[in-house]
Amino acid sequence: MDEANFRTTIDKVDGRNRNKKALIIDSRFNTGGNLHQQLVEFFSKSTDIVARPQGHYYIQDSQPDGSYKPTCLLISEQNYSDGFNFPYLYQRKGLGKLIGAPVAGTGVLWEQQLDKTLTIGYPQLGL
């Protein structure tokens, strides 16, 4: 869940998978980042109006009611921190079906110790 992976996700969804009728989002083994809000917004976007120049073919990437294409989300026990926040919000907002482990909905902050080789992550953010 870093910016580079977010850009890759957008590229895959709006690029080569644009014509797909539904998507399976694989977030297994996601150790976090801080993109849960951006991902939820991206997968819940809707289309109200579409510009189509005369004579051009338009690829419909949303459903007839304007909502985004259906999705389901794969998760695992090894999701962590924001890797759990995104599935939690995805489920809470009813964006699609979760497949996999239960969702904790916690975020982790990392503290570097006096011994610089040791960093401890502890749950602090709860949704």
Side-chain angles (χ1 to χ4, degrees):
M1 287 194 129
D2 59 11
E3 186 176 345
N5 284 317
F6 183 58
R7 289 175 187 265
T8 300
T9 300
I10 292 170
D11 185 47
K12 286 181 179 179
V13 171
D14 286 343
R16 69 177 176 188
N17 294 310
R18 182 182 186 106
N19 297 354
K20 305 294 185 203
K21 293 182 181 179
L23 296 172
I24 298 172
I25 306 163
D26 188 352
S27 75
R28 295 175 297 173
F29 310 104
N30 187 331
T31 57
N34 196 19
L35 292 173
H36 61 274
Q37 192 63 44
Q38 291 92 325
L39 286 166
V40 166
E41 288 173 11
F42 178 70
F43 286 109
S44 62
K45 67 183 179 181
S46 63
T47 304
D48 294 321
I49 191 168
V50 175
R52 183 178 71 185
Q54 254 183 328
H56 288 258
Y57 177 71
Y58 172 68
I59 299 172
Q60 181 75 23
D61 63 350
S62 63
Q63 299 180 79
D65 66 356
S67 62
Y68 201 61
K69 61 186 78 181
T71 59
C72 67
L73 182 63
L74 300 177
I75 59 175
S76 72
E77 291 86 351
Q78 293 190 358
N79 284 47
Y80 195 66
S81 189
D82 212 41
F84 263 143
N85 289 339
F86 169 56
Y88 177 81
L89 289 173
Y90 180 92
Q91 180 182 42
R92 194 171 91 185
K93 291 185 172 278
L95 299 180
K97 183 171 180 65
L98 289 183
I99 301 170
V103 181
T106 62
V108 175
L109 295 179
W110 297 93
E111 289 283 335
Q112 190 172 39
Q113 304 303 298
L114 292 174
D115 175 354
K116 301 296 183 196
T117 64
L118 182 62
T119 304
I120 298 174
Y122 57 94
Q124 180 166 338
L125 307 172
L127 299 175

